[in-house]
Amino acid sequence: MKTTKILVLGANGKTGRRVLERLENNTDVEVRAGSRSAAIPFDWEKPETWQAALQDIDAVYISYQPDLAIPSATTAIQLFSGLATQMGVQKMVLLSGRGEKEAQICEEIVKTNAKKWTIVRASWFNQNFSESFFLEPILAGYVALPRAEALEPFTDADDIADVIVASILDDKHNGQTYELTGPRLLTFKEVIAEIAKATDREIAFQSLTLEEYIQMLREYQVPEDHIWLVNYLFEQVLDGRNSSITSDIEKVLGRKAKDFSAYALETAKTGIWNQTVPHN
């Protein structure tokens, strides 16, 4: 039987790293990491790298950096998915943004270009608080954010990766669009309180207007393209459109989605939230 060869894009990212680990433990498949630092480099901003990464590949996990909402995403997804099919790729699994109109344009492009496809939509990850931009304020013991009362069904990256792997390996998921959520709705304030409880630390939370938050990011010299994306996510996606939960994780995996409390307790044990804040 022919071994399935799978390309995992964003192989160093929150979902890609987890998808790669799971597939590497599967003896029936051969996995290729897709990242700028990989043995065969892949770079979204350098289309000349795409062909070598796609050589002899049967299935691709597509996660686009930094987000499908950015203006250049549609062109990149159009070109990449077209090239992938042309080179013999049989299946594409796309990580999409829940509630993002721009991301849905990219979904339609993949549906049109791919021979077989699965769309996996997710919004805010639990791991944003331990592996991403919220980690430093948590370490500092002071988190200031806009949209403090918005309800979000924070989703665990391990659950997302498990759904992606199932979607890649099992054809019963072909033609499906899954909306992934955690099992309950939480505000940012409640999330920070959960982390404080799990770590037995004092972590202050302050509600800001979006304007105040953007100004604060500029003072910290955060790059403008990152500020644009943060502004988009807080302004567009946290307007209540995602304040509902689904059972799609359970439908695909046959088990409940991981609750934020379980994530907080597991992550607290790693000590990541008890480090000393690096000073510039």
Side-chain angles (χ1 to χ4, degrees), residues 13 22 32 70 98 103 106 151 153 185 189 203 234 259 267:
R22 285 156 172 75
R32 181 177 296 164
I70 71 167
R98 187 174 182 236
C106 294
L151 288 163
L185 296 167
K189 190 173 183 178
I203 307 173
F234 277 104
D259 188 78
T267 306

Side-chain angles (χ1 to χ4, degrees), residues 1-275:
M1 191 177 120
K2 179 177 170 285
T3 304
T4 302
K5 293 183 180 176
I6 302 165
L7 172 63
V8 176
L9 299 184
N12 297 326
K14 285 189 283 293
T15 60
R17 178 166 53 80
R18 289 170 165 84
V19 170
L20 194 69
E21 282 168 7
R22 285 156 172 75
L23 291 172
E24 282 174 340
N25 289 328
N26 186 317
T27 52
D28 297 330
V29 301
E30 204 177 294
V31 198
R32 181 177 296 164
S35 71
R36 287 191 291 261
S37 59
I40 301 171
F42 178 91
D43 189 336
W44 278 113
E45 292 176 9
K46 293 180 180 172
E48 63 272 19
T49 64
W50 301 355
Q51 195 159 347
L54 283 165
Q55 197 68 44
D56 302 321
I57 291 294
D58 302 302
V60 183
Y61 168 52
I62 305 173
S63 64
Y64 182 79
Q65 298 299 328
D67 195 277
L68 290 176
I70 71 167
S72 59
T74 47
T75 303
I77 295 296
Q78 178 75 52
L79 292 172
F80 177 81
S81 57
L83 176 65
T85 296
Q86 194 183 317
M87 290 186 67
V89 170
Q90 298 298 307
K91 181 163 189 179
M92 299 180 211
V93 176
L94 175 71
L95 179 67
S96 186
R98 187 174 182 236
E100 294 181 20
K101 292 195 293 290
E102 294 81 357
Q104 283 163 28
I105 296 166
C106 294
E107 292 175 14
E108 293 307 316
I109 292 168
V110 168
K111 289 179 189 179
T112 302
N113 286 345
K115 288 182 180 172
K116 300 171 191 167
W117 54 266
T118 308
I119 307 296
V120 177
R121 292 177 183 162
S123 187
W124 293 81
F125 299 0
N126 293 345
Q127 281 72 12
N128 286 342
F129 298 94
S130 52
E131 298 175 21
S132 194
F133 45 90
F134 296 137
L135 176 58
E136 205 166 306
I138 288 168
L139 292 177
Y142 172 73
V143 180
L145 288 171
R147 299 281 193 187
E149 298 312 313
L151 288 163
E152 178 67 25
F154 294 94
T155 313
D156 200 84
D158 286 326
D159 285 344
I160 298 167
D162 286 342
V163 169
I164 289 159
V165 169
S167 299
I168 292 168
L169 297 179
D170 195 330
D171 279 345
K172 75 179 182 185
H173 301 294
N174 291 353
Q176 297 295 315
T177 298
Y178 295 122
E179 289 220 5
L180 308 189
T181 74
R184 64 189 168 120
L185 296 167
L186 291 160
T187 64
F188 281 113
K189 190 173 183 178
E190 288 169 335
V191 159
I192 298 306
E194 293 248 1
I195 293 169
K197 184 179 168 188
T199 53
D200 197 23
R201 290 179 56 214
E202 288 281 329
I203 307 173
F205 182 88
Q206 185 187 351
S207 175
L208 299 177
T209 65
L210 190 52
E211 293 72 23
E212 287 168 336
Y213 186 60
I214 298 299
Q215 182 58 38
M216 185 179 81
L217 294 180
R218 287 209 170 101
E219 284 167 11
Y220 281 104
Q221 298 180 320
V222 171
E224 280 300 319
D225 56 348
H226 182 84
I227 289 175
W228 181 90
L229 182 58
V230 166
N231 186 57
Y232 169 85
L233 292 171
F234 277 104
E235 188 177 54
Q236 302 286 328
V237 183
L238 277 169
D239 62 355
R241 71 183 67 180
N242 287 339
S243 296
S244 60
I245 57 172
T246 74
S247 56
D248 281 6
I249 287 173
E250 191 170 356
K251 188 161 83 177
V252 175
L253 302 177
R255 61 166 176 78
K256 300 271 188 200
K258 187 186 286 185
D259 188 78
F260 192 90
S261 295
Y263 152 78
L265 288 168
E266 283 172 22
T267 306
K269 285 176 188 165
T270 70
I272 188 88
W273 287 322
N274 292 93
Q275 304 172 76

